[in-house]
Amino acid sequence: MTMSDDDILAPRRSRSGSGSHATFAAKQARGPIIDQEGHEIRPETLEQGFREFRFEFGQGNPFGNLTREQRIARLEAIAKLLDVAFILPGTNIRYGIDGLIGLIPVVGDIITTAISLWLVREARALGAPWYITARMLGNVAVDGVVGLVPFAGDAFDVMFRANMRNVRLLRRWLEKQPRI
């Protein structure tokens, strides 16, 4: 039996003849309204918040409030995901999604190179000097160009691990910097 559009928009009464026992009305709500942190929200504040609620796309940076250590930890996590997240069963060979995505001809290598370039951009945003970013770009370029060769390039991606090299370069440079 199919439902008509009218039934979807205005559902039928239940077959037992009685309506739903659960009736929710604003008058029946009991207790305070609690936010995610466990603080009570006053009803008048809630009404004012709904009037002012709106989305603003393109405003601000969602990662802008991260500390330097959090940004470095994020870079390391992404590099590990790209290069050494998985172990080839029966061997000790580690590979990441860089090697898997790279199996897609041309497009996969472009995607992984773009992600690697984003890591270099983040390193530059952390204050890495030009010679560190130049070496990082060189690693990405070698990984990207050799990765274009079918199968042999993917094997090279697994062994070369450009992203792990780049994070290691950045970490060594950061360790030499004075703490502020």
Side-chain angles (χ1 to χ4, degrees):
M1 181 172 146
T2 61
M3 295 180 75
S4 68
D5 290 339
D6 293 334
D7 289 338
I8 294 171
L9 298 175
R12 297 181 188 164
R13 295 258 183 222
S14 68
R15 294 181 186 216
S16 65
S18 64
S20 172
H21 293 290
T23 56
F24 297 102
K27 296 176 188 173
Q28 292 180 348
R30 290 184 229 136
I33 300 170
I34 306 295
D35 67 2
Q36 291 179 349
E37 285 85 34
H39 304 293
E40 183 177 348
I41 300 174
R42 304 182 86 182
E44 56 272 5
T45 307
L46 190 62
E47 291 171 6
Q48 178 186 8
F50 281 128
R51 284 189 297 252
E52 296 176 2
F53 184 76
R54 65 179 178 267
F55 286 106
E56 293 183 16
F57 295 104
Q59 301 293 321
N61 182 358
F63 303 113
N65 295 332
L66 296 178
T67 64
R68 185 177 188 157
E69 287 302 315
Q70 289 171 330
R71 290 175 84 174
I72 295 166
R74 181 181 63 187
L75 292 178
E76 288 176 344
I78 292 170
K80 286 179 183 176
L81 178 66
L82 286 170
D83 290 340
V84 293
F86 312 108
I87 299 175
L88 193 61
T91 67
N92 212 12
I93 299 172
R94 298 188 70 89
Y95 65 97
I97 62 170
D98 187 3
L100 295 175
I101 296 173
L103 290 172
I104 302 169
V106 182
V107 175
D109 295 309
I110 291 171
I111 291 170
T112 57
T113 302
I115 296 170
S116 297
L117 288 172
W118 178 79
L119 291 174
V120 175
R121 181 212 162 275
E122 283 291 306
R124 187 71 182 146
L126 285 169
W130 67 270
Y131 61 92
I132 296 292
T133 53
R135 285 186 65 188
M136 292 173 80
L137 285 172
N139 288 337
V140 171
V142 168
D143 187 39
V145 171
V146 176
L148 287 172
V149 177
F151 299 112
D154 297 318
F156 178 79
D157 278 345
V158 170
M159 298 302 167
F160 186 63
R161 300 177 182 159
N163 300 301
M164 292 300 293
R165 288 174 185 255
N166 288 343
V167 169
R168 199 174 320 120
L169 277 170
L170 179 64
R171 181 59 84 174
R172 284 185 195 149
W173 175 78
L174 286 171
E175 287 173 356
K176 294 177 184 176
Q177 302 307 307
R179 295 274 179 178
I180 299 175

